Every structure is written in C-alpha cells, then in structure tokens.
Amino acid sequence: MPEVGVLYKQWEPDGAFDAIVIGSGMGGLATAALLAQHADKRVLVLERHTVAGGFTHVFRRKGYEWDVGVHYIGGVHRQGSFLRTLFDHISGGELQWEPMGDVVDTVIVGNRRVEYLAGREAWRQRMHEEFPDDTAPIDRYMELADEVTQRTRSFFASKALPSPTAAVAGPFMRRGFLRLSDRTLGEVLVELTENRMLKAVLAGQFGDHGMPPGQASFAIHAMIFRHYLGGGAYPVGGSSRIAATVAPQIEAAGGQVVLGAEVGSVLIEDGRAVGVELTDGRTVRAQLVISDAGVPNTALKLLPDGAPGRDRLIATLDRIGRSASHICLYVGTRHTAEELGLEKSNLWVYPNEDQDAAVERYLADPEAPVPLAYISFPSAKDPDFTRRFPGRATIEVVSLANYDWFAPWEGRPWQKRGEDYNELKARLSERLLEILVQQVPQLDGKIDYHELSTPISTRHFADYDRGEIYGLEHSPARFREPALQPRTPLKSFYLTGQDVCTAGVAGALFGAVVATSAILGRNVISEIRTAARAG
C-alpha cells in the first residue's frame, strides 16, 4: 500500500501555499482535492495523526487489517450515480468498488431476521412479504423518504450561497426540508403503524447516524435509508485506498499532506484568517484556512478568544450535543471468509423492538443488555483482502457506549491505562463476542485475535473529546443551526466535513463539495458533472 503524506518532522515547506486544510478526514482531503482541481490551488493538508484519512484509515495488528469507519458506502458501484462520479473525480478514477450484492443489511430483532435488499422494488416487495398487513405504511415510509431526498438538494445548496443571496432565498430553499427534519423518526413511525416489529425494522439502520428513533431527526434516517436503497459497495483494497487515491490529486497542483502536524490555533490579522500556528510554535501562512476538525475542536481549540464567529459556534455547541460514542471489537481468524461462509451483508442486532428504552437502560448501566450490535465482515467485502492477507478473515462488532464509563482513564497514555481499564474492556469484549458467535456460530472456537477500541481510543486518535464518531448529533434541532455551514464570520476561514452536511463518509464528502462551492463562489457540482460528461 503506498504511503500517503510526509511526516511533519521530515517536512520543509517548498514555497507558499494558497490554502491550508486542518485535518485529513474525508471532508478535508476532498476539499483540498477540489480546490486543486477546480482552482489550481496549492493546498497544504495538516493532520495531527501519523496516518491520513480520518475515519477512512485502517490499522494493522498481528497480521490482520481492519477499517475503522468505512463499512459500506451506498450507490458508488453504479456508474453514473453522482456519488460515484464524485469519487471518480477526486480520485482520478483510481478508486475501485466491489458491490455487496443483493442483501445490503440484515436487521435482527430478537429472533426475527429481515433482509434489506438492494434495489427499490426488491426492498419494497421483500418488506411486503415480511409484513403483509402493513403494505400501506411501508409504501408511505418510502414516499416520505423520497420527499426528504428531493428536499435535500435545495437545503444543502442554500449553505453555499453568498450571505446576501442566502438571506433572501435561503428560507424558501430550506422550508420543505425543515418540515420533515423537525420531526423525529419515532414520531413518523408512530403515525405510520402500530406494528412494533415493523417500526423496529424500519429503524434498523439507526446506528449509521447513532441516535435511536425517539431522538433522531427523521431526515437523517431517511437520507441513510435512501443512500443504501440502491445497494452498497466497499473499496477494493480496503478503505485506506480512499486517501491513497485522493492525495495525488492534491499533490498534482503542488499541494502536500503532512502527518503528525498538530495545529494549535488559527492565525488572525485584521479580522481575517492568514494561516495557522502549530503546537510546536511554527507558523504557516496562506490566503485561506479550512477546518475539517469538527465544530467542537474548531470553536474550543483552534479559534482564539475573540475570533469572529467563535461565540456563535460555541452557542451552537450549547444547543446541539455530540453524536454517539462507540466501542468496536476487531476480530481476526485464521480462516478465510469463503471457508467460514461469511456473507457481505451487515448484521444489525437488537434484543427487542423497544430500541429507545434499550439504549436508555444500557447507557445508564453498562451491565444492561447490549441494545445494538452492528456486525461487519470487511474481508468478505474486499476481493483483494485474501491477496494481502492469505488464509485470514476479519470481522468488526460495533456498539454504543457512554463516554463517562471511560472518562477516569482519559488522561492516561495509550496502551498504558492500567489493569482496571483492561478489565472493563475484557468484560465488554466478552459480551460482544457472545453476540457475534450467537449470530455467526461458525466462528465458535475459530477466533484467533480480538481487540476492543473505546471512546477514549477515538479521543486519542481522532481528537474528538467525547469519542464521538458522527460529529454533532443528528437531532431535529441540528438542521436549524445557522452556524453549521461553510462560511464563518471570520474572513477567509471556512468549515468543511460532516458538520457542514451530515454524518459518515458520504456526508463529509458532500460537505466538501458545499464548502468548495462556497469558497469559489461557483456551482462545483455542475462543474463535476460537466467534467464527467466531457471525460
């Protein structure tokens, strides 16, 4: 696998940069690539971790490799879909995708298993077969999800408008979307049906945004449902291929990705961002500064006291909480996915239909039943895995967690947090292993290695204070926050990534498109489509 970027200790800047991007997650890398491709800007990407890619990076241990955040992406296997066009654009066409097949997700509620099939009509027919007395609510659910998708275009486009235009046109562009986003998923489901099992199955993908039905905006859940309705895919060669293929587009315009380079603050002169100061005191100047560090880090760490717009972001944080914290069990076995009969479909495992109550009980008491387990089989999804790791397979089991369970150890160094911390991890690991073997019994006795990450692992590597994985929470209130847009009151300073749009890799990527459009004052989506047609 080609290395991405240069280590900060070995880096010497070669000339001036037009822009600096703080953070090399999907939003940061994509914004840098788009600025390079559409404005020939020389962009410096500064990443505090020693690996580029944010939640798209991988890690290796004991002869195994796991992704840390890319478990599947919707629609990219279809030539001509906009998301595929966008990935082709920022990767120079080098990023390849493996379709997951007919079954994308399998929702398991108690002893009931319901498959989410790829394809609109296939999904609809299967749901009708599973719930023959509830065909009308199922159809209405699809109609409402369609309406959300139709309304998203103008809603997110309004975030890229110049301020004078946004003041006039923005309310009209957002109104239809907000009518749907103001409602929770739970409220919509209650109106659709009294069937508790159907409601639980329709909410089955809520782990993809991290909020149970009673708290999540219907809009985010509908967007995720529609995102995967046409099928899912996985990057061939693993999720690290994303950074490996996007970075060369940045470098082609003279830009660089620098690793182990932690930014301490944004430099401001006369109300304008003019560069950054790193934590070692070194400064780098540029005409533009873009933060992909998330709103909490941007407001509380990067912007100095008195910076224009800082108080506005802090006020947003007072109203909108962080997204879910999580634990993830990384499992390795000395058998291939084919030998074990592992499928590509993800498993969403719930103990019962009352998802809200189950989450509430568990977050209050870690000994309560695990309310959600998401099981992914990356080695089954990636056709290149057995070439890189012959005779092996990997599995990941993800669940929610309460950051406060782990807070006592947050100040201790990685891998040196003490026996009490390791004992807590061991107890949680055993619980997830029990669920895994129950759902995939052929793994019994065949697990060679496992390791648990916790919210303070996420805090350590991704610098999210509460170990959150989806930025800010996707409650109804989130979509009404005016500060969650690329432009800020600080001149020449912009936001990008998932807090600008929505959760996940696709959400962060669209955040980059919106941010680049705002920076350049042009419709970058139209330019990408024009380039694709010309190519």
Side-chain angles (χ1 to χ4, degrees):
M1 181 181 69
E3 296 298 325
V4 175
V6 59
L7 287 174
Y8 178 61
K9 292 180 180 179
Q10 303 166 356
W11 174 69
E12 287 294 335
D14 178 17
F17 292 94
D18 299 310
I20 295 170
V21 173
I22 306 169
S24 72
M26 187 73 260
L29 287 176
T31 301
L34 291 170
L35 288 173
Q37 293 169 317
H38 291 259
D40 197 30
K41 290 192 179 295
R42 190 169 190 243
V43 185
L44 173 65
V45 180
L46 297 173
E47 169 58 53
R48 65 182 293 275
H49 193 11
T50 55
V51 180
F55 282 109
T56 71
H57 84 271
V58 301
F59 79 97
R60 297 189 180 96
R61 197 92 77 231
K62 306 290 186 180
Y64 296 99
E65 177 185 280
W66 296 271
D67 58 63
V68 299
V70 180
H71 302 120
Y72 60 156
I73 297 180
V76 287
H77 55 293
R78 301 197 312 271
Q79 291 283 354
S81 72
F82 180 67
L83 193 55
R84 173 60 179 269
T85 300
L86 182 51
F87 268 113
D88 284 348
H89 188 72
I90 64 170
S91 71
E94 293 297 315
L95 190 56
Q96 298 179 316
W97 301 93
E98 176 71 8
M100 289 178 62
D102 293 336
V103 183
V104 180
D105 286 313
T106 302
V107 179
I108 302 165
V109 183
N111 295 321
R112 183 78 177 268
R113 299 172 69 96
V114 179
E115 293 178 337
Y116 269 41
L117 299 186
R120 182 184 184 86
E121 192 56 31
W123 184 89
R124 178 177 174 275
Q125 288 182 3
R126 175 59 60 86
M127 293 295 289
H128 281 193
E129 292 167 2
E130 293 282 351
F131 300 97
D133 295 330
D134 292 276
T135 58
I138 291 167
D139 291 347
R140 180 57 182 158
Y141 177 80
M142 296 186 77
E143 290 172 0
L144 289 171
D146 290 343
E147 187 176 351
V148 169
T149 302
Q150 293 165 4
R151 303 290 187 181
T152 57
R153 297 184 182 94
S154 60
F155 177 80
F156 290 117
S158 73
K159 292 175 177 279
L161 294 175
S163 297
T165 306
V168 176
F172 297 98
M173 297 175 71
R174 294 188 293 268
R175 184 171 55 191
F177 179 87
L178 291 172
R179 179 174 55 80
L180 295 161
S181 67
D182 280 345
R183 307 179 71 199
T184 67
L185 171 61
E187 289 169 343
V188 171
L189 293 177
V190 165
E191 289 188 7
L192 289 178
T193 179
E194 296 180 358
N195 187 326
R196 297 178 67 205
M197 179 60 71
L198 175 58
K199 287 189 285 189
V201 169
L202 291 177
Q205 295 170 315
F206 84 73
D208 277 333
H209 52 76
M211 298 193 81
Q215 301 173 32
S217 168
F218 174 69
I220 184 61
H221 196 81
M223 284 187 276
I224 286 171
F225 166 70
R226 281 295 309 270
H227 177 68
Y228 292 114
L229 188 58
Y234 190 81
V236 176
S239 61
S240 63
R241 287 291 299 160
I242 295 175
T245 54
V246 176
Q249 317 310 313
I250 300 167
E251 294 162 354
Q256 286 186 291
V257 179
V258 181
L259 309 174
E262 185 168 5
V263 175
S265 65
V266 175
L267 295 177
I268 301 173
E269 295 177 2
D270 300 324
R272 180 181 297 273
V274 296
V276 298
E277 179 178 350
L278 288 95
T279 52
D280 65 357
R282 187 179 188 180
T283 62
V284 186
R285 298 177 71 88
Q287 297 172 350
L288 282 170
V289 180
I290 303 113
S291 176
D292 185 41
V295 166
N297 283 331
T298 301
L300 302 176
K301 297 179 181 180
L302 297 178
L303 292 177
D305 289 344
R310 181 175 185 266
D311 289 346
R312 182 186 182 195
L313 292 176
I314 291 175
T316 295
L317 295 178
D318 290 339
R319 293 186 292 266
I320 307 298
R322 313 295 209 275
S323 64
S325 300
H326 78 297
I327 51 176
C328 181
L329 187 69
Y330 299 96
V331 177
T333 174
R334 291 180 180 270
H335 301 268
T336 67
E338 184 178 8
E339 289 169 347
L340 292 167
L342 300 180
E343 302 291 339
K344 296 179 181 180
S345 172
N346 309 300
L347 306 182
W348 294 96
V349 185
Y350 299 94
N352 55 56
E353 300 101 322
D354 197 344
Q355 293 155 324
D356 286 285
V359 169
E360 183 178 4
R361 282 193 299 269
Y362 172 73
L363 294 182
D365 177 10
E367 301 304 319
V370 175
L372 157 66
Y374 168 79
I375 304 174
S376 175
F377 308 97
S379 58
K381 299 173 187 176
D382 179 9
D384 191 57
F385 186 89
T386 53
R387 179 190 65 80
R388 304 193 319 274
F389 302 96
R392 300 195 177 205
T394 55
I395 305 101
E396 294 156 4
V397 188
V398 186
S399 189
L400 301 174
N402 187 333
Y403 182 82
D404 291 338
W405 301 343
F406 305 93
W409 297 281
E410 67 183 12
R412 299 188 191 180
W414 178 55
Q415 294 189 330
K416 296 180 180 179
R417 295 186 177 125
E419 283 305 310
D420 45 357
Y421 176 73
N422 292 334
E423 289 171 4
L424 174 59
K425 288 177 62 174
R427 292 198 303 273
L428 292 168
S429 297
E430 287 303 314
R431 299 184 73 189
L432 295 184
L433 283 171
E434 182 180 351
I435 295 171
L436 173 61
V437 173
Q438 182 182 43
Q439 298 299 330
V440 193
Q442 62 267 40
L443 288 171
D444 192 14
K446 296 179 181 177
I447 292 174
D448 173 52
Y449 179 80
H450 63 81
E451 176 178 339
L452 187 81
S453 71
T454 74
I456 53 174
S457 308
T458 303
R459 175 188 169 104
H460 175 79
F461 290 108
D463 199 28
Y464 286 112
D465 276 353
R466 300 289 294 179
E468 62 268 31
I469 52 174
Y470 295 129
L472 299 178
E473 67 181 16
H474 289 71
S475 60
R478 174 219 171 95
F479 294 102
R480 284 195 171 271
E481 284 297 323
L484 300 184
Q485 60 168 304
R487 285 187 179 82
T488 74
L490 175 58
K491 295 178 182 178
S492 302
F493 181 74
Y494 293 82
L495 305 178
T496 190
Q498 61 183 357
D499 284 346
V500 168
C501 278
T502 61
V505 173
L509 181 52
F510 283 120
V513 175
V514 172
T516 308
S517 296
I519 292 167
L520 300 181
R522 307 200 306 260
N523 186 338
V524 173
I525 290 179
S526 177
E527 293 179 8
I528 291 170
R529 286 180 166 142
T530 298
R533 288 193 293 268

